[in-house]
Amino acid sequence: MKITLLGTGDAPGTPVIGCTCPTCMDAHSGGRSMRTRFSILIESEKGKVLVDTGPDLRTQLLGIGIRHIDGVIWTHTHYDHFAGFAEFHRVQYNVDVYGIKDTLDYILEYLHFMHPQRHEVNMYSPFFLIGLEFTLFEVMHPPAKKPVGVMIKEGNKKVVITGDTQRDICSRSLELIRDPDLLIADAIVPPTVEVKKHMNSEEALDLAKSIGAKRVVFTHLSHYFAPHEIASKELPLGFDGMKIDL
């Protein structure tokens, strides 16, 4: 299994329009502080699946030379996690899309012109794509309706993507995601910044420790962190284009 973090930014991305903070200026200069909106590519020997399709998807796919994907999994209904799906228009038709009913209802009302192949999935019920086992699990991201994280298994390897969430994840989900080889965690801000809908970096580290993650990588990052080369000396920050092989 190969994982590529296509976009590691929060909703406005970095640089933020009109901002001249050190992190945004580093992003303008081409540093790793430059973060496009959230999307993750999962690859196996049998195909390619996207977890979420942020607004910058066209640029992301062109950047790594992807011509075709075999499916999309959506975690929730916020714009920065699905709007880039429209970039498949006139490129690839009838894309297979997966998610819980409420999420698909909302997104496909907006993207109905794409005519994707809809696949409703129940939380905690495994399904198989490209030779990998996927399971959606409940997280907390108010006011999003029924947001989910994604667990992926291949043999004895286990990857957990939290999606957007607060630290207060239910016990059923915590038990399911225990002992992952890799945790890709929402960590939108450092603990010096107040946040209500997401985890800060301290909470994300606490989650990783509590579930026994062998490795953790932070994503959905804002410009409130120091420039990447500085902040990443102390925190496991992901970056756009980061590749992880398991």
Side-chain angles (χ1 to χ4, degrees), residues 107-146:
I107 294 175
L108 296 183
E109 182 177 359
Y110 175 73
L111 294 169
H112 62 89
F113 66 94
M114 298 291 294
H115 304 293
Q117 296 297 309
R118 172 183 176 135
H119 302 271
E120 291 182 13
V121 178
N122 294 321
M123 287 191 197
Y124 306 109
S125 296
F127 59 101
F128 292 86
L129 285 171
I130 62 170
L132 306 177
E133 179 185 309
F134 293 82
T135 306
L136 306 185
F137 59 92
E138 183 180 6
V139 295
M140 290 288 292
H141 183 50
K145 189 175 182 180
K146 298 183 180 179

mmCIF file of all heavy atoms in Angstrom, residues 107-146:
data_model
loop_
_atom_site.group_PDB
_atom_site.id
_atom_site.type_symbol
_atom_site.label_atom_id
_atom_site.label_comp_id
_atom_site.label_asym_id
_atom_site.label_seq_id
_atom_site.Cartn_x
_atom_site.Cartn_y
_atom_site.Cartn_z
ATOM 1 N N ILE A 107 -23.684 15.658 -1.079
ATOM 2 C CA ILE A 107 -22.668 15.958 -2.080
ATOM 3 C C ILE A 107 -23.194 15.756 -3.496
ATOM 4 O O ILE A 107 -22.939 16.581 -4.390
ATOM 5 C CB ILE A 107 -21.409 15.103 -1.839
ATOM 6 C CG1 ILE A 107 -20.749 15.503 -0.512
ATOM 7 C CG2 ILE A 107 -20.416 15.251 -2.998
ATOM 8 C CD1 ILE A 107 -19.567 14.636 -0.107
ATOM 9 N N LEU A 108 -23.943 14.686 -3.710
ATOM 10 C CA LEU A 108 -24.376 14.391 -5.070
ATOM 11 C C LEU A 108 -25.526 15.271 -5.539
ATOM 12 O O LEU A 108 -25.778 15.367 -6.738
ATOM 13 C CB LEU A 108 -24.742 12.910 -5.192
ATOM 14 C CG LEU A 108 -23.547 11.968 -4.977
ATOM 15 C CD1 LEU A 108 -23.950 10.528 -5.172
ATOM 16 C CD2 LEU A 108 -22.388 12.328 -5.905
ATOM 17 N N GLU A 109 -26.189 15.957 -4.623
ATOM 18 C CA GLU A 109 -27.142 16.982 -5.052
ATOM 19 C C GLU A 109 -26.386 18.136 -5.711
ATOM 20 O O GLU A 109 -26.839 18.708 -6.703
ATOM 21 C CB GLU A 109 -27.944 17.491 -3.858
ATOM 22 C CG GLU A 109 -28.981 18.536 -4.246
ATOM 23 C CD GLU A 109 -29.829 19.008 -3.079
ATOM 24 O OE1 GLU A 109 -29.640 18.510 -1.953
ATOM 25 O OE2 GLU A 109 -30.692 19.878 -3.299
ATOM 26 N N TYR A 110 -25.207 18.438 -5.188
ATOM 27 C CA TYR A 110 -24.368 19.507 -5.728
ATOM 28 C C TYR A 110 -23.645 19.055 -6.998
ATOM 29 O O TYR A 110 -23.470 19.832 -7.942
ATOM 30 C CB TYR A 110 -23.355 19.917 -4.653
ATOM 31 C CG TYR A 110 -22.333 20.937 -5.067
ATOM 32 C CD1 TYR A 110 -22.680 22.273 -5.243
ATOM 33 C CD2 TYR A 110 -21.000 20.578 -5.253
ATOM 34 C CE1 TYR A 110 -21.741 23.212 -5.608
ATOM 35 C CE2 TYR A 110 -20.048 21.520 -5.621
ATOM 36 C CZ TYR A 110 -20.419 22.840 -5.790
ATOM 37 O OH TYR A 110 -19.480 23.764 -6.159
ATOM 38 N N LEU A 111 -23.219 17.802 -7.032
ATOM 39 C CA LEU A 111 -22.398 17.293 -8.127
ATOM 40 C C LEU A 111 -23.169 16.303 -9.013
ATOM 41 O O LEU A 111 -22.574 15.416 -9.624
ATOM 42 C CB LEU A 111 -21.146 16.610 -7.559
ATOM 43 C CG LEU A 111 -20.171 17.549 -6.830
ATOM 44 C CD1 LEU A 111 -19.115 16.743 -6.090
ATOM 45 C CD2 LEU A 111 -19.495 18.498 -7.809
ATOM 46 N N HIS A 112 -24.465 16.477 -9.116
ATOM 47 C CA HIS A 112 -25.311 15.523 -9.844
ATOM 48 C C HIS A 112 -24.913 15.427 -11.313
ATOM 49 O O HIS A 112 -25.076 14.373 -11.936
ATOM 50 C CB HIS A 112 -26.781 15.923 -9.723
ATOM 51 C CG HIS A 112 -27.097 17.268 -10.312
ATOM 52 N ND1 HIS A 112 -27.446 17.441 -11.626
ATOM 53 C CD2 HIS A 112 -27.067 18.509 -9.744
ATOM 54 C CE1 HIS A 112 -27.635 18.726 -11.859
ATOM 55 N NE2 HIS A 112 -27.420 19.404 -10.751
ATOM 56 N N PHE A 113 -24.404 16.511 -11.895
ATOM 57 C CA PHE A 113 -24.064 16.513 -13.322
ATOM 58 C C PHE A 113 -22.912 15.571 -13.653
ATOM 59 O O PHE A 113 -22.677 15.253 -14.819
ATOM 60 C CB PHE A 113 -23.710 17.929 -13.778
ATOM 61 C CG PHE A 113 -22.444 18.488 -13.167
ATOM 62 C CD1 PHE A 113 -21.230 18.373 -13.825
ATOM 63 C CD2 PHE A 113 -22.486 19.120 -11.935
ATOM 64 C CE1 PHE A 113 -20.077 18.879 -13.259
ATOM 65 C CE2 PHE A 113 -21.330 19.629 -11.366
ATOM 66 C CZ PHE A 113 -20.121 19.509 -12.025
ATOM 67 N N MET A 114 -22.191 15.087 -12.612
ATOM 68 C CA MET A 114 -21.061 14.196 -12.846
ATOM 69 C C MET A 114 -21.499 12.747 -13.082
ATOM 70 O O MET A 114 -20.733 11.943 -13.582
ATOM 71 C CB MET A 114 -20.121 14.233 -11.637
ATOM 72 C CG MET A 114 -19.507 15.586 -11.372
ATOM 73 S SD MET A 114 -18.332 16.088 -12.630
ATOM 74 C CE MET A 114 -17.067 14.871 -12.387
ATOM 75 N N HIS A 115 -22.729 12.409 -12.692
ATOM 76 C CA HIS A 115 -23.264 11.056 -12.849
ATOM 77 C C HIS A 115 -22.332 9.981 -12.298
ATOM 78 O O HIS A 115 -22.019 8.994 -12.976
ATOM 79 C CB HIS A 115 -23.567 10.762 -14.324
ATOM 80 C CG HIS A 115 -24.493 11.759 -14.950
ATOM 81 N ND1 HIS A 115 -25.821 11.881 -14.570
ATOM 82 C CD2 HIS A 115 -24.282 12.689 -15.920
ATOM 83 C CE1 HIS A 115 -26.384 12.843 -15.289
ATOM 84 N NE2 HIS A 115 -25.482 13.350 -16.097
ATOM 85 N N PRO A 116 -21.889 10.119 -11.054
ATOM 86 C CA PRO A 116 -21.027 9.087 -10.485
ATOM 87 C C PRO A 116 -21.825 7.828 -10.148
ATOM 88 O O PRO A 116 -23.057 7.856 -10.071
ATOM 89 C CB PRO A 116 -20.496 9.749 -9.211
ATOM 90 C CG PRO A 116 -21.572 10.702 -8.824
ATOM 91 C CD PRO A 116 -22.157 11.211 -10.111
ATOM 92 N N GLN A 117 -21.110 6.736 -9.931
ATOM 93 C CA GLN A 117 -21.728 5.493 -9.492
ATOM 94 C C GLN A 117 -21.747 5.475 -7.967
ATOM 95 O O GLN A 117 -20.709 5.370 -7.319
ATOM 96 C CB GLN A 117 -20.949 4.296 -10.032
ATOM 97 C CG GLN A 117 -20.973 4.191 -11.547
ATOM 98 C CD GLN A 117 -22.384 3.978 -12.085
ATOM 99 O OE1 GLN A 117 -23.114 3.087 -11.642
ATOM 100 N NE2 GLN A 117 -22.775 4.805 -13.045
ATOM 101 N N ARG A 118 -22.929 5.586 -7.409
ATOM 102 C CA ARG A 118 -23.093 5.767 -5.967
ATOM 103 C C ARG A 118 -23.057 4.429 -5.235
ATOM 104 O O ARG A 118 -23.723 3.472 -5.625
ATOM 105 C CB ARG A 118 -24.416 6.481 -5.721
ATOM 106 C CG ARG A 118 -24.840 6.592 -4.267
ATOM 107 C CD ARG A 118 -26.196 7.263 -4.182
ATOM 108 N NE ARG A 118 -26.676 7.312 -2.812
ATOM 109 C CZ ARG A 118 -27.214 8.383 -2.249
ATOM 110 N NH1 ARG A 118 -27.384 9.483 -2.958
ATOM 111 N NH2 ARG A 118 -27.618 8.347 -0.987
ATOM 112 N N HIS A 119 -22.288 4.387 -4.118
ATOM 113 C CA HIS A 119 -22.210 3.187 -3.288
ATOM 114 C C HIS A 119 -22.375 3.609 -1.827
ATOM 115 O O HIS A 119 -21.454 4.185 -1.235
ATOM 116 C CB HIS A 119 -20.869 2.474 -3.459
ATOM 117 C CG HIS A 119 -20.572 2.070 -4.872
ATOM 118 N ND1 HIS A 119 -20.962 0.872 -5.404
ATOM 119 C CD2 HIS A 119 -19.925 2.732 -5.873
ATOM 120 C CE1 HIS A 119 -20.568 0.791 -6.660
ATOM 121 N NE2 HIS A 119 -19.931 1.914 -6.970
ATOM 122 N N GLU A 120 -23.547 3.347 -1.257
ATOM 123 C CA GLU A 120 -23.770 3.681 0.149
ATOM 124 C C GLU A 120 -23.084 2.650 1.044
ATOM 125 O O GLU A 120 -23.169 1.450 0.806
ATOM 126 C CB GLU A 120 -25.271 3.721 0.449
ATOM 127 C CG GLU A 120 -25.988 4.876 -0.217
ATOM 128 C CD GLU A 120 -27.468 4.930 0.139
ATOM 129 O OE1 GLU A 120 -27.881 4.223 1.094
ATOM 130 O OE2 GLU A 120 -28.203 5.647 -0.540
ATOM 131 N N VAL A 121 -22.421 3.156 2.082
ATOM 132 C CA VAL A 121 -21.672 2.310 3.001
ATOM 133 C C VAL A 121 -22.164 2.581 4.413
ATOM 134 O O VAL A 121 -22.423 3.734 4.780
ATOM 135 C CB VAL A 121 -20.162 2.612 2.902
ATOM 136 C CG1 VAL A 121 -19.373 1.776 3.887
ATOM 137 C CG2 VAL A 121 -19.659 2.382 1.476
ATOM 138 N N ASN A 122 -22.281 1.545 5.220
ATOM 139 C CA ASN A 122 -22.642 1.696 6.626
ATOM 140 C C ASN A 122 -21.384 1.841 7.474
ATOM 141 O O ASN A 122 -20.353 1.207 7.206
ATOM 142 C CB ASN A 122 -23.436 0.484 7.113
ATOM 143 C CG ASN A 122 -24.788 0.382 6.435
ATOM 144 O OD1 ASN A 122 -25.461 1.380 6.196
ATOM 145 N ND2 ASN A 122 -25.190 -0.835 6.118
ATOM 146 N N MET A 123 -21.469 2.676 8.496
ATOM 147 C CA MET A 123 -20.360 2.779 9.437
ATOM 148 C C MET A 123 -20.066 1.412 10.045
ATOM 149 O O MET A 123 -20.971 0.622 10.337
ATOM 150 C CB MET A 123 -20.699 3.766 10.555
ATOM 151 C CG MET A 123 -20.680 5.221 10.145
ATOM 152 S SD MET A 123 -20.781 6.274 11.611
ATOM 153 C CE MET A 123 -21.267 7.829 10.887
ATOM 154 N N TYR A 124 -18.784 1.147 10.243
ATOM 155 C CA TYR A 124 -18.272 -0.062 10.892
ATOM 156 C C TYR A 124 -18.458 -1.333 10.059
ATOM 157 O O TYR A 124 -18.181 -2.430 10.550
ATOM 158 C CB TYR A 124 -18.897 -0.255 12.287
ATOM 159 C CG TYR A 124 -18.734 0.945 13.186
ATOM 160 C CD1 TYR A 124 -19.818 1.757 13.516
ATOM 161 C CD2 TYR A 124 -17.485 1.295 13.695
ATOM 162 C CE1 TYR A 124 -19.656 2.867 14.337
ATOM 163 C CE2 TYR A 124 -17.312 2.408 14.505
ATOM 164 C CZ TYR A 124 -18.409 3.181 14.818
ATOM 165 O OH TYR A 124 -18.233 4.285 15.635
ATOM 166 N N SER A 125 -18.910 -1.190 8.817
ATOM 167 C CA SER A 125 -19.071 -2.358 7.942
ATOM 168 C C SER A 125 -17.962 -2.335 6.886
ATOM 169 O O SER A 125 -17.951 -1.457 6.015
ATOM 170 C CB SER A 125 -20.439 -2.335 7.260
ATOM 171 O OG SER A 125 -21.473 -2.445 8.212
ATOM 172 N N PRO A 126 -17.029 -3.287 6.912
ATOM 173 C CA PRO A 126 -15.925 -3.293 5.953
ATOM 174 C C PRO A 126 -16.419 -3.452 4.516
ATOM 175 O O PRO A 126 -17.416 -4.114 4.246
ATOM 176 C CB PRO A 126 -15.089 -4.504 6.376
ATOM 177 C CG PRO A 126 -15.476 -4.777 7.794
ATOM 178 C CD PRO A 126 -16.919 -4.379 7.895
ATOM 179 N N PHE A 127 -15.712 -2.809 3.585
ATOM 180 C CA PHE A 127 -15.947 -3.014 2.159
ATOM 181 C C PHE A 127 -14.584 -3.033 1.469
ATOM 182 O O PHE A 127 -13.579 -2.593 2.031
ATOM 183 C CB PHE A 127 -16.864 -1.936 1.565
ATOM 184 C CG PHE A 127 -16.366 -0.527 1.686
ATOM 185 C CD1 PHE A 127 -15.771 0.122 0.608
ATOM 186 C CD2 PHE A 127 -16.505 0.186 2.870
ATOM 187 C CE1 PHE A 127 -15.321 1.434 0.705
ATOM 188 C CE2 PHE A 127 -16.062 1.505 2.979
ATOM 189 C CZ PHE A 127 -15.466 2.120 1.896
ATOM 190 N N PHE A 128 -14.551 -3.567 0.257
ATOM 191 C CA PHE A 128 -13.271 -3.815 -0.396
ATOM 192 C C PHE A 128 -13.161 -3.029 -1.701
ATOM 193 O O PHE A 128 -14.086 -2.996 -2.508
ATOM 194 C CB PHE A 128 -13.091 -5.309 -0.663
ATOM 195 C CG PHE A 128 -12.933 -6.106 0.604
ATOM 196 C CD1 PHE A 128 -14.044 -6.558 1.300
ATOM 197 C CD2 PHE A 128 -11.667 -6.377 1.114
ATOM 198 C CE1 PHE A 128 -13.905 -7.271 2.471
ATOM 199 C CE2 PHE A 128 -11.520 -7.086 2.289
ATOM 200 C CZ PHE A 128 -12.635 -7.538 2.977
ATOM 201 N N LEU A 129 -12.003 -2.395 -1.871
ATOM 202 C CA LEU A 129 -11.656 -1.662 -3.085
ATOM 203 C C LEU A 129 -10.186 -1.911 -3.367
ATOM 204 O O LEU A 129 -9.371 -1.945 -2.436
ATOM 205 C CB LEU A 129 -11.874 -0.156 -2.898
ATOM 206 C CG LEU A 129 -13.291 0.396 -2.897
ATOM 207 C CD1 LEU A 129 -13.269 1.864 -2.472
ATOM 208 C CD2 LEU A 129 -13.894 0.266 -4.264
ATOM 209 N N ILE A 130 -9.845 -2.049 -4.603
ATOM 210 C CA ILE A 130 -8.460 -2.226 -5.074
ATOM 211 C C ILE A 130 -7.669 -3.222 -4.221
ATOM 212 O O ILE A 130 -6.476 -3.044 -3.974
ATOM 213 C CB ILE A 130 -7.716 -0.885 -5.214
ATOM 214 C CG1 ILE A 130 -7.584 -0.143 -3.871
ATOM 215 C CG2 ILE A 130 -8.407 0.011 -6.235
ATOM 216 C CD1 ILE A 130 -6.649 1.084 -3.923
ATOM 217 N N GLY A 131 -8.337 -4.249 -3.743
ATOM 218 C CA GLY A 131 -7.673 -5.274 -2.955
ATOM 219 C C GLY A 131 -7.414 -4.908 -1.511
ATOM 220 O O GLY A 131 -6.741 -5.648 -0.781
ATOM 221 N N LEU A 132 -7.943 -3.777 -1.053
ATOM 222 C CA LEU A 132 -7.780 -3.318 0.318
ATOM 223 C C LEU A 132 -9.123 -3.313 1.033
ATOM 224 O O LEU A 132 -10.174 -3.149 0.420
ATOM 225 C CB LEU A 132 -7.191 -1.900 0.340
ATOM 226 C CG LEU A 132 -5.888 -1.672 -0.419
ATOM 227 C CD1 LEU A 132 -5.495 -0.195 -0.349
ATOM 228 C CD2 LEU A 132 -4.773 -2.546 0.115
ATOM 229 N N GLU A 133 -9.071 -3.474 2.350
ATOM 230 C CA GLU A 133 -10.283 -3.436 3.174
ATOM 231 C C GLU A 133 -10.426 -2.054 3.800
ATOM 232 O O GLU A 133 -9.522 -1.574 4.495
ATOM 233 C CB GLU A 133 -10.203 -4.493 4.276
ATOM 234 C CG GLU A 133 -11.407 -4.508 5.204
ATOM 235 C CD GLU A 133 -11.243 -5.492 6.351
ATOM 236 O OE1 GLU A 133 -10.910 -6.667 6.080
ATOM 237 O OE2 GLU A 133 -11.419 -5.074 7.515
ATOM 238 N N PHE A 134 -11.574 -1.427 3.562
ATOM 239 C CA PHE A 134 -11.864 -0.101 4.104
ATOM 240 C C PHE A 134 -13.019 -0.193 5.103
ATOM 241 O O PHE A 134 -13.983 -0.933 4.870
ATOM 242 C CB PHE A 134 -12.274 0.861 2.988
ATOM 243 C CG PHE A 134 -11.176 1.195 2.018
ATOM 244 C CD1 PHE A 134 -10.866 0.332 0.970
ATOM 245 C CD2 PHE A 134 -10.447 2.371 2.144
ATOM 246 C CE1 PHE A 134 -9.864 0.637 0.060
ATOM 247 C CE2 PHE A 134 -9.438 2.681 1.243
ATOM 248 C CZ PHE A 134 -9.143 1.814 0.202
ATOM 249 N N THR A 135 -12.938 0.582 6.182
ATOM 250 C CA THR A 135 -14.030 0.671 7.145
ATOM 251 C C THR A 135 -14.196 2.130 7.562
ATOM 252 O O THR A 135 -13.204 2.794 7.914
ATOM 253 C CB THR A 135 -13.755 -0.178 8.399
ATOM 254 O OG1 THR A 135 -13.465 -1.524 8.020
ATOM 255 C CG2 THR A 135 -14.968 -0.173 9.335
ATOM 256 N N LEU A 136 -15.424 2.614 7.509
ATOM 257 C CA LEU A 136 -15.723 3.971 7.970
ATOM 258 C C LEU A 136 -16.139 3.917 9.429
ATOM 259 O O LEU A 136 -16.895 3.033 9.834
ATOM 260 C CB LEU A 136 -16.850 4.581 7.129
ATOM 261 C CG LEU A 136 -16.652 4.582 5.610
ATOM 262 C CD1 LEU A 136 -17.794 5.323 4.924
ATOM 263 C CD2 LEU A 136 -15.308 5.171 5.217
ATOM 264 N N PHE A 137 -15.654 4.872 10.216
ATOM 265 C CA PHE A 137 -15.985 4.899 11.645
ATOM 266 C C PHE A 137 -16.390 6.310 12.060
ATOM 267 O O PHE A 137 -15.948 7.303 11.476
ATOM 268 C CB PHE A 137 -14.819 4.394 12.495
ATOM 269 C CG PHE A 137 -13.538 5.181 12.339
ATOM 270 C CD1 PHE A 137 -13.252 6.255 13.177
ATOM 271 C CD2 PHE A 137 -12.611 4.843 11.358
ATOM 272 C CE1 PHE A 137 -12.074 6.984 13.040
ATOM 273 C CE2 PHE A 137 -11.427 5.561 11.210
ATOM 274 C CZ PHE A 137 -11.159 6.628 12.060
ATOM 275 N N GLU A 138 -17.209 6.385 13.073
ATOM 276 C CA GLU A 138 -17.774 7.661 13.521
ATOM 277 C C GLU A 138 -16.719 8.529 14.202
ATOM 278 O O GLU A 138 -15.936 8.057 15.018
ATOM 279 C CB GLU A 138 -18.921 7.407 14.492
ATOM 280 C CG GLU A 138 -19.627 8.666 14.976
ATOM 281 C CD GLU A 138 -20.759 8.369 15.941
ATOM 282 O OE1 GLU A 138 -20.926 7.195 16.335
ATOM 283 O OE2 GLU A 138 -21.483 9.323 16.301
ATOM 284 N N VAL A 139 -16.728 9.824 13.867
ATOM 285 C CA VAL A 139 -15.917 10.823 14.552
ATOM 286 C C VAL A 139 -16.813 12.005 14.939
ATOM 287 O O VAL A 139 -18.017 11.975 14.693
ATOM 288 C CB VAL A 139 -14.719 11.282 13.688
ATOM 289 C CG1 VAL A 139 -13.750 10.137 13.449
ATOM 290 C CG2 VAL A 139 -15.181 11.890 12.363
ATOM 291 N N MET A 140 -16.220 13.034 15.536
ATOM 292 C CA MET A 140 -16.987 14.201 15.986
ATOM 293 C C MET A 140 -16.451 15.465 15.315
ATOM 294 O O MET A 140 -15.306 15.860 15.545
ATOM 295 C CB MET A 140 -16.867 14.347 17.506
ATOM 296 C CG MET A 140 -17.602 13.279 18.293
ATOM 297 S SD MET A 140 -19.389 13.495 18.222
ATOM 298 C CE MET A 140 -19.573 15.011 19.164
ATOM 299 N N HIS A 141 -17.287 16.074 14.468
ATOM 300 C CA HIS A 141 -16.867 17.296 13.769
ATOM 301 C C HIS A 141 -18.076 18.204 13.583
ATOM 302 O O HIS A 141 -18.521 18.447 12.461
ATOM 303 C CB HIS A 141 -16.238 16.917 12.422
ATOM 304 C CG HIS A 141 -15.701 18.084 11.648
ATOM 305 N ND1 HIS A 141 -14.855 19.026 12.199
ATOM 306 C CD2 HIS A 141 -15.880 18.456 10.345
ATOM 307 C CE1 HIS A 141 -14.546 19.916 11.277
ATOM 308 N NE2 HIS A 141 -15.160 19.608 10.149
ATOM 309 N N PRO A 142 -18.622 18.737 14.681
ATOM 310 C CA PRO A 142 -19.811 19.573 14.565
ATOM 311 C C PRO A 142 -19.523 20.840 13.773
ATOM 312 O O PRO A 142 -18.412 21.372 13.841
ATOM 313 C CB PRO A 142 -20.129 19.896 16.036
ATOM 314 C CG PRO A 142 -18.837 19.761 16.761
ATOM 315 C CD PRO A 142 -18.104 18.662 16.052
ATOM 316 N N PRO A 143 -20.503 21.315 12.973
ATOM 317 C CA PRO A 143 -21.871 20.812 12.837
ATOM 318 C C PRO A 143 -22.045 19.822 11.689
ATOM 319 O O PRO A 143 -23.172 19.601 11.254
ATOM 320 C CB PRO A 143 -22.661 22.097 12.556
ATOM 321 C CG PRO A 143 -21.705 22.916 11.728
ATOM 322 C CD PRO A 143 -20.331 22.609 12.266
ATOM 323 N N ALA A 144 -20.958 19.243 11.156
ATOM 324 C CA ALA A 144 -21.091 18.271 10.075
ATOM 325 C C ALA A 144 -21.970 17.102 10.527
ATOM 326 O O ALA A 144 -21.874 16.641 11.667
ATOM 327 C CB ALA A 144 -19.723 17.757 9.652
ATOM 328 N N LYS A 145 -22.819 16.617 9.624
ATOM 329 C CA LYS A 145 -23.733 15.540 9.935
ATOM 330 C C LYS A 145 -23.082 14.200 9.652
ATOM 331 O O LYS A 145 -22.705 13.906 8.524
ATOM 332 C CB LYS A 145 -25.013 15.690 9.094
ATOM 333 C CG LYS A 145 -26.137 14.750 9.493
ATOM 334 C CD LYS A 145 -27.394 15.064 8.685
ATOM 335 C CE LYS A 145 -28.555 14.172 9.113
ATOM 336 N NZ LYS A 145 -29.783 14.474 8.333
ATOM 337 N N LYS A 146 -22.872 13.404 10.684
ATOM 338 C CA LYS A 146 -22.320 12.054 10.588
ATOM 339 C C LYS A 146 -20.970 12.000 9.864
ATOM 340 O O LYS A 146 -20.798 11.275 8.883
ATOM 341 C CB LYS A 146 -23.320 11.110 9.918
ATOM 342 C CG LYS A 146 -24.621 10.946 10.693
ATOM 343 C CD LYS A 146 -25.553 9.955 10.019
ATOM 344 C CE LYS A 146 -26.838 9.803 10.807
ATOM 345 N NZ LYS A 146 -27.789 8.846 10.166
#
